Amino acid sequence: MDFEKRILAIYQECRTSDEIDAAFRKLQDEMDEGIRTRMDDTRQKLFEHFDEDVHQRLRLQLADAKAQLDRVGQRFWSLTRFVLHDNARFDDAALAFDLDRPPQSALKWAVII
């Protein structure tokens, strides 16, 4: 309702298109600030009253996702060690390796790809 009154006042009080544009920009800026404030308040209330069960489920899903990434990473590391076993020096603690020479099988794969 207040919004409609403000628009009516703009049309009644402003005489030039520049005045109208300026008035609408001012109204938009005021409305944007109000919307941002309401969004922030709503977000804060949501987080304050979020169901603990939902928090727990989200934590479990995060833990599962991290575990899955760890499993994939370990498999990739094992595959790398297998393929490069005689051609590189491995640092398992840092999950790093220094390639001494490319493996012959890698050259075959490069030709295929």
Side-chain angles (χ1 to χ4, degrees):
M1 189 62 133
D2 183 50
F3 178 72
E4 292 170 351
K5 287 180 183 178
R6 297 279 305 269
I7 291 177
L8 180 61
I10 290 171
Y11 281 114
Q12 288 176 343
E13 296 169 6
C14 298
R15 299 289 175 235
T16 66
S17 61
D18 289 337
E19 289 175 340
I20 292 171
D21 288 342
F24 272 112
R25 275 194 301 278
K26 181 181 175 189
L27 177 62
Q28 183 175 3
D29 290 343
E30 291 171 8
M31 298 297 288
D32 284 347
E33 182 61 33
I35 290 170
R36 271 193 299 268
T37 300
R38 281 192 229 141
M39 292 276 288
D40 290 341
D41 290 345
T42 302
R43 186 177 297 115
Q44 185 63 32
K45 287 177 184 175
L46 178 64
F47 285 127
E48 286 174 1
H49 303 291
F50 213 47
D51 185 29
E52 183 58 34
D53 185 48
V54 174
H55 279 289
Q56 184 61 28
R57 280 189 245 152
L58 291 174
R59 277 193 284 278
L60 289 174
Q61 287 178 354
L62 177 61
D64 289 345
K66 286 181 179 180
Q68 182 64 25
L69 285 174
D70 287 345
R71 282 191 295 273
V72 170
Q74 287 298 324
R75 288 178 183 158
F76 185 69
W77 183 247
S78 295
L79 176 64
T80 303
R81 284 191 65 94
F82 177 77
V83 171
L84 300 176
H85 68 284
D86 291 330
N87 300 305
R89 288 170 277 118
F90 290 88
D91 180 357
D92 288 323
L95 294 176
F97 65 89
D98 291 317
L99 186 63
D100 297 325
R101 63 189 174 284
Q104 292 300 317
S105 60
L107 297 175
K108 293 177 190 174
W109 284 105
V111 171
I112 293 172
I113 294 175

